[in-house]
Amino acid sequence: MLADSDTRWKWGVLTARRLAPEAAIDGLLLRGRATPTPRQLAEVGVTVDTLREVTTAEFLGTATAPGAYDMIVLACVGGAVQAMLHGLGRAVTGAAEEAAAEGAGGAVGGRLARRPVIVTGYVGVVYEKLTDGLLLRHGADLVLANSPYDADRFRAVYEGVGTDARSVVECALPFLEGTGGADDAAGSEGASGPEGASGPESAAGDAAKAAAPAADVVPAADAVVGGAADGVAGDGRFTVVFAVQPSVPAGRADRAYLLRRAVGHALRHPERDVLIKLRSKPGEHTTHIEELPYQKLVRKLPGTGGGESGGLPPNCRLVYGNMGEILDRAQHTGGLLVTVSSTAALESLHRSLPTAILTDLGVREALGNHYFTGSGCLASWDELDDGLLPQADEKWALRQGVRGGDGFAAARDRVAALAARAGLPPLAPYYTVRTAPGYLPGILRRYGLAPDGTPVGGPAGDAAAGQGAAGRGVVRRVVREAARGAYRHGVQRVAPLIRKAGEL
């Protein structure tokens, strides 16, 4: 399983568990801007049998080794998926051609001629860049759709551009517990995620947990009164969970407004606990850069709280932690989830927890809350202050895969059938140097691949880079972390100052 961020790591591991419950899972993190920290991996709460960080060339070398994998889940952004599809396709096709020429029986130079089954999909709500994202994922054997609604949209896009839509397979979000009934309960065996299923702990999982800090701002364990088990029971106080997002909304004024309204709700309802669920710590890698973290905005609040808590009242807290455990507490207390458009809303709706999709800043494609039109969950802070507890429309919830559905049964059957075949056809993405000569080469170059899908520098150069001396490896890691830090500093500190100066 290859992932490039913490949220996709969660989706990828749980999807692999659902598709192959008995299989060993190698977790590979694609090196890049959003590579998660050990704390982020521990917070996600899923484990694998092995864990390591790789470059594109290292991934291709690992994935095409003889007997390496029967299935690969690509849990990456669309461009990365497209690059890996071309890289894998070129590696396997090249090996097969050399094997045929040399009579090597399917493998040449340690490379694989018979390829594994390739699976990809989306982490959650798909509300923007639908066509672009889908065409970047085309070429995988399975493109998983998280609901009947998504499956219809995905097929319509593929059919609309005249390409094969049979790769689209309807399933469900893997972190929705029990989706699909008894059949999927078996399918999730061995997972360890927010739905509470448990499996054997791996050494990689133990290492990530050991590296996670015990406290910062308000840790999840404290936020749920003593950790997962105690936290679900809590103290019985009505719990409002405000699930914030790194880049929605993007502007300082809008984010400060939502923060003030959450605080205002806590002040208006002192009998309630308001938990502001943070996406990440300042400086950590996420899919979307959080230019204006709520941890910093809260310090600007008026009041006597001081420090990192700013002016928060006693019943309003910033929290990290496993979203599933925090939602369990809210469910136990008869509480409420509030968000603009976070995927946490789907987890909340799956639990039949009252869920509010905020309309304060409008219902707009840029915010993603337009996805929830027809859900019955659109509401404003004013309405929530007055006691509204939105309930989802059951037909909408069923259509979006939040309730019921066939889960992963069809996807498991498809994977099993493909894996049992003597050979699979070559990977054939929609984008090629013929169909997208002005687009595809740039995507491949971004991930270190030439237009034909071969790693830049060639196999010899890749091997030498991968076998560098320990000293050079340490230097590379230091330089890489410094570059990431400089990038985050530029986005979170310098860019806002430049924009502010431009407004003067």
Side-chain angles (χ1 to χ4, degrees):
M1 191 284 301
L2 179 72
D4 60 1
S5 72
D6 56 343
T7 52
R8 294 192 180 95
W9 173 266
K10 172 183 175 181
W11 178 86
V13 173
L14 294 178
T15 295
R17 294 284 185 203
R18 294 274 184 146
L19 293 175
E22 305 300 325
I25 299 178
D26 289 347
L28 304 176
L29 290 170
L30 184 62
R31 187 173 299 159
R33 175 188 60 76
T35 306
T37 64
R39 190 206 69 82
Q40 288 174 293
L41 293 178
E43 181 174 289
V44 166
V46 296
T47 60
V48 292
D49 294 278
T50 65
L51 167 64
R52 64 189 177 99
E53 190 176 315
V54 296
T55 63
T56 297
E58 289 167 346
F59 165 71
L60 295 176
T62 298
T64 57
Y69 302 116
D70 297 307
M71 176 183 73
I72 295 175
V73 176
L74 296 177
C76 301
V77 70
V81 172
Q82 183 72 185
M84 301 311 141
L85 289 172
H86 279 273
L88 289 168
R90 177 58 187 167
V92 173
T93 300
E97 291 172 351
E98 292 179 37
E102 300 177 15
V108 172
R111 288 184 292 137
L112 182 67
R114 184 190 182 281
R115 66 175 181 83
V117 178
I118 308 298
V119 180
T120 191
Y122 287 89
V123 172
V125 173
V126 185
Y127 67 83
E128 64 177 352
K129 301 180 181 178
L130 175 66
T131 300
D132 187 23
L134 279 173
L135 293 181
L136 288 172
R137 289 167 171 82
H138 185 268
D141 297 298
L142 280 79
V143 178
L144 301 180
N146 297 324
S147 67
Y149 173 68
D150 280 349
D152 289 345
R153 292 196 298 162
F154 291 7
R155 293 188 183 106
V157 168
Y158 285 160
E159 291 168 356
V161 298
T163 194
D164 191 358
R166 289 176 295 178
S167 61
V168 176
V169 180
E170 181 185 324
C171 60
L173 286 169
F175 43 79
L176 299 184
E177 181 183 9
T179 304
D183 178 67
D184 257 345
S188 63
E189 198 175 302
S192 177
E195 67 274 291
S198 61
E201 295 291 330
S202 70
D206 290 339
K209 290 177 180 176
D216 190 11
V217 186
V218 177
D222 290 345
V224 295
V225 193
D230 295 335
V232 173
D235 57 7
R237 287 169 57 85
F238 187 101
T239 300
V240 178
V241 179
F242 177 33
V244 304
Q245 296 163 261
S247 58
V248 176
R252 177 184 293 273
D254 289 343
R255 293 172 78 80
Y257 167 81
L258 293 180
L259 178 59
R260 289 196 305 271
R261 293 308 303 260
V263 172
H265 187 82
L267 291 171
R268 183 163 179 167
H269 293 277
E271 77 285 357
R272 296 183 173 185
D273 284 336
V274 176
L275 306 181
I276 301 174
K277 171 61 173 72
L278 302 172
R279 177 66 179 76
S280 63
K281 294 185 179 182
E284 285 186 331
H285 320 296
T286 58
T287 303
H288 305 284
I289 284 288
E290 188 165 18
E291 186 175 308
L292 298 166
Y294 282 89
Q295 297 93 317
K296 295 183 179 180
L297 294 176
V298 77
R299 298 171 188 166
K300 305 293 185 181
L301 290 173
T304 58
E308 291 183 326
S309 296
L312 294 180
N315 63 325
C316 183
R317 290 172 283 176
L318 303 176
V319 301
Y320 299 111
N322 186 292
M323 177 60 80
E325 294 174 1
I326 295 173
L327 290 177
D328 285 342
R329 170 184 171 165
Q331 182 180 28
H332 178 80
T333 62
L336 167 71
L337 174 84
V338 182
T339 189
V340 175
S341 58
S342 170
T343 298
L346 301 183
E347 294 188 64
S348 176
L349 291 170
H350 181 72
R351 289 169 164 80
S352 298
L353 184 68
T355 302
I357 303 299
L358 291 174
T359 62
D360 292 57
L361 304 176
V363 180
R364 299 182 282 147
E365 282 80 357
L367 297 176
N369 53 359
H370 71 291
Y371 180 91
F372 294 89
T373 55
S375 67
C377 295
L378 299 176
S380 69
W381 272 118
D382 282 345
E383 293 172 305
L384 300 178
D385 287 346
D386 291 340
L388 177 66
L389 297 176
Q391 299 291 337
D393 178 84
E394 286 299 321
K395 290 183 179 178
W396 183 92
L398 183 63
R399 178 77 175 142
Q400 305 304 318
V402 176
R403 312 266 171 83
D406 293 330
F408 279 78
R412 277 198 302 275
D413 289 346
R414 178 77 67 87
V415 168
L418 291 172
R421 292 175 58 172
L424 295 174
L427 293 170
Y430 173 76
Y431 286 136
T432 65
V433 290
R434 181 176 178 83
T435 60
Y439 185 43
L440 179 64
I443 294 173
L444 298 181
R445 184 168 57 251
R446 193 180 312 148
Y447 291 93
L449 298 178
D452 66 351
T454 57
V456 174
D462 298 333
Q467 298 170 358
R472 293 200 302 273
V474 171
V475 171
R476 282 197 298 270
R477 285 194 296 273
V478 171
V479 171
R480 186 167 62 249
E481 288 305 314
R484 288 174 180 170
Y487 179 80
R488 293 193 301 270
H489 179 79
V491 170
Q492 296 178 344
R493 298 290 179 87
V494 180
L497 292 175
I498 293 174
R499 274 195 297 273
K500 188 173 182 179
E503 294 169 358
L504 297 177

